Amino acid sequence: MSTCVFGVPTEPPERLASSSSEDFDLSKAVWRPEFADQISNYIDRGLEGKPLPYSVLEYYGAPGVGKTWLLKRAEVEAKERPRGKKGRIAVYFIDLEESVFQKKGERLTSPDEKRTGEYQERFRKELSGQLRSTEVLPLSQVVNQVGETKDKIFYIFILDTAEYLAYVPQFHRWLERELVLPLARTDRVFFLLGSRYKLRWREFSVRYRLQQKEVKGFTPDEIRSLAGKYGVDDRRREELVERIYHDYTWGHAMATAGILGSVAKKGPQVSPSDLNEIAAKRLGDVIDGFMGSLFLFPGEVNMTQLCQYLSVGSILRVFTEGTLFRLRKSFYESQNGDIENFLLEKPAPGFQDIFDNLRQTTLITWSNEWGGYIVDQTTRYVLASWLRLKNPEEFYRRHAIAKDYYGWQLDQAPLNLPRAAVEYLYHSAWYEMRMLEGKRLEPLGKEAVKDLQEDFIYKLRDALRHPSMHWYETDHLNAIDELIKQDQEQDQELGFLLSPNGVENIRGAVQALREQFR
């Protein structure tokens, strides 16, 4: 499946997620305070009979980012809690993929709306079994049973892989109407869900009692904590954390855990080449797991192009439909990477269907913050890092093509000139990183940053001389400066590629150019 990064699809995997990976075990979970404290607070309130801030808590995020860890850890904590003033806790954990939508041990199949009745029966059977009922209970009876005992029992229902609710809307509506809606009105029932993206709930009473929070990748500090749990030597820990974060995963939880687990097994004598080999293997395993969602479509889908478009998206930080279409052409249909033949080409018939399918995977989402479509940063970094380790020449060729594309956009003096300018700088920086191939990734040196700065300012000055830019030069330069600042504070990739000082120098050059146009 990881060959999909090259645009070559294979057979669907058996599971969507790889949360059963032997190295991704609960005992080594990093208990993130932002989420841990919230869950503990809900459990405390339930045991004491206090009102809950929300009765439906949905954690969403990219595949493999650590949602299952959080949900499993919440289940363990709830089961370990002693009785409180208002009785005990009853917790029920249902993995919708494994228990309802997919048959264990078989290849992934597309969820089918026509099989809603079958899915409902499987869900009721799983829940009834956990309730220790000898019969398959209708949900109305489950609701009545909870209502009769809620004064003595605080109920917690945990639903993992809840993104399947979006794949079968009839099942989602049934579950919301028959189970969540009647129980969400009380403070004695708590629903905790893990999903790849925000779910759409129809009932006002559910939305009123709902909180949705995004789970993101590990921070370097969290990776340090995880490395300690894997027994990584203190003397090697800092260097290993830096390499895992910047060279391979950017904090992707499952990829990070997989690499640390393999390093721990290999022992203290892990050379840089060994680490690259371990990382390539573990990144490939993760890709095999979360790219199974490409196969969850009914009917005929062009899997080759679906893989190719996702592969293009893993190189770009933000893109439009037209950008994705043209760069796929350049990456896969041009021998020398010449993009000029595709710059004005419009998306072909059938492209919109493929793009819509790709959006349904949740691997590509719309971002208001970026003003375009994005692949989640940690997912993108895993895909791109695997390509860089397996085929560095192709990796840097793609950044060169993307750089040329945004350079062409700047020459056209577009309305989105600030974003095009910053992406031109980003891909230019990555292309310069090819000089470090085979070595540990580290920020570019002063001379390389100086050359990039000169090229960037020259390109900006040229673009701003376009007649359509007259009177708007300082506005665009202010926006470019702000985007670079936001990038350094939030996305942080430019800060790593150019170093914080390098970013400040480039911002200073942009501000100096702004003075010339005043």
Side-chain angles (χ1 to χ4, degrees), residues 200-260:
R200 295 181 178 179
W201 300 86
R202 289 190 168 215
E203 300 293 338
F204 172 79
S205 296
V206 173
R207 297 198 307 271
Y208 181 74
R209 299 281 286 165
L210 166 73
Q211 185 181 33
Q212 297 170 306
K213 293 183 68 172
E214 183 177 9
V215 181
K216 297 185 177 181
F218 287 148
T219 65
D221 283 341
E222 288 170 335
I223 298 177
R224 288 185 191 94
S225 174
L226 188 61
K229 294 189 176 187
Y230 277 100
V232 175
D233 187 276
D234 289 346
R235 294 170 295 178
R236 300 179 55 246
R237 190 177 303 174
E238 191 60 33
E239 179 183 357
L240 186 60
V241 167
E242 288 296 319
R243 288 210 66 179
I244 289 176
Y245 188 79
H246 289 124
D247 287 33
Y248 309 129
T249 72
W250 208 262
H252 187 278
M254 190 178 293
T256 299
I259 294 172
L260 284 171

Side-chain angles (χ1 to χ4, degrees), residues 96 100-102 109-120 162-176 197 199 296 360:
L96 292 177
V100 178
F101 292 98
Q102 301 291 343
T109 57
S110 302
D112 188 352
E113 198 94 28
K114 296 177 181 178
R115 298 172 62 191
T116 298
E118 179 185 344
Y119 299 145
Q120 291 173 351
E163 61 271 2
Y164 273 91
L165 297 178
Y167 299 148
V168 187
Q170 286 186 22
F171 179 88
H172 187 188
R173 289 196 291 274
W174 168 79
L175 187 67
E176 180 180 10
Y197 61 102
L199 296 172
L296 295 180
Q360 290 177 45

Side-chain angles (χ1 to χ4, degrees), residues 191-474:
F191 289 92
L192 179 61
L193 295 88
S195 173
R196 290 190 172 188
Y197 61 102
K198 286 183 179 181
L199 296 172
R200 295 181 178 179
W201 300 86
R202 289 190 168 215
E203 300 293 338
F204 172 79
S205 296
V206 173
R207 297 198 307 271
Y208 181 74
R209 299 281 286 165
L210 166 73
Q211 185 181 33
Q212 297 170 306
K213 293 183 68 172
E214 183 177 9
V215 181
K216 297 185 177 181
F218 287 148
T219 65
D221 283 341
E222 288 170 335
I223 298 177
R224 288 185 191 94
S225 174
L226 188 61
K229 294 189 176 187
Y230 277 100
V232 175
D233 187 276
D234 289 346
R235 294 170 295 178
R236 300 179 55 246
R237 190 177 303 174
E238 191 60 33
E239 179 183 357
L240 186 60
V241 167
E242 288 296 319
R243 288 210 66 179
I244 289 176
Y245 188 79
H246 289 124
D247 287 33
Y248 309 129
T249 72
W250 208 262
H252 187 278
M254 190 178 293
T256 299
I259 294 172
L260 284 171
S262 296
V263 168
K265 287 180 180 179
K266 198 168 183 68
Q269 304 302 321
V270 179
S271 67
S273 59
D274 288 338
L275 188 56
N276 281 341
E277 185 177 331
I278 288 171
K281 170 66 169 61
R282 301 307 298 191
L283 292 175
D285 291 343
V286 170
I287 293 169
D288 287 351
F290 68 60
M291 287 181 66
S293 56
L294 292 177
F295 293 86
L296 295 180
F297 301 108
E300 294 295 323
V301 177
N302 189 324
M303 289 303 303
T304 297
Q305 288 196 16
L306 202 63
C307 283
Q308 289 176 353
Y309 282 121
L310 179 61
S311 182
V312 175
S314 72
I315 292 292
L316 306 174
R317 298 196 301 175
V318 59
F319 48 87
T320 63
E321 296 175 35
T323 299
L324 202 66
F325 174 80
R326 296 176 190 117
L327 287 182
R328 189 201 70 83
K329 287 271 192 177
S330 300
F331 286 6
Y332 292 100
E333 298 182 18
S334 174
Q335 294 292 330
N336 57 6
D338 186 1
I339 197 172
E340 292 183 4
N341 297 328
F342 310 112
L343 289 174
L344 300 178
E345 192 167 345
K346 295 182 179 180
F351 165 78
Q352 193 61 51
D353 290 338
I354 295 174
F355 188 78
D356 288 344
N357 285 336
L358 197 53
R359 288 185 62 191
Q360 290 177 45
T361 68
T362 73
L363 294 170
I364 281 182
T365 57
W366 175 266
S367 169
N368 290 327
E369 180 183 353
W370 284 84
Y373 292 100
I374 63 170
V375 175
D376 168 77
Q377 187 180 24
T378 55
T379 302
R380 171 170 58 82
Y381 216 81
V382 165
L383 292 165
S385 295
W386 187 87
L387 177 60
R388 181 174 55 80
L389 290 170
K390 286 292 187 179
N391 191 340
E393 183 178 347
E394 176 64 14
F395 173 80
Y396 291 111
R397 184 184 80 95
R398 293 185 180 190
H399 276 292
I401 294 173
K403 170 192 171 186
D404 290 343
Y405 176 76
Y406 284 108
W408 169 79
Q409 279 205 338
L410 286 175
D411 292 339
Q412 309 308 304
L415 291 175
N416 67 334
L417 184 143
R419 173 53 66 189
V422 175
E423 297 314 301
Y424 175 82
L425 178 63
Y426 169 78
H427 290 290
S428 297
W430 260 117
Y431 184 60
E432 286 301 314
M433 294 290 278
R434 73 192 187 282
M435 302 301 182
L436 294 173
E437 187 50 46
K439 303 177 183 178
R440 171 184 171 182
L441 289 184
E442 57 186 24
L444 294 168
K446 290 183 179 180
E447 289 302 317
V449 173
K450 183 179 179 182
D451 291 343
L452 277 180
Q453 176 180 313
E454 290 176 356
D455 172 70
F456 181 57
I457 296 301
Y458 175 83
K459 200 75 177 174
L460 276 183
R461 186 183 291 112
D462 227 27
L464 292 171
R465 285 173 177 165
H466 192 279
S468 65
M469 293 290 106
H470 192 47
W471 301 111
Y472 298 103
E473 299 94 341
T474 56

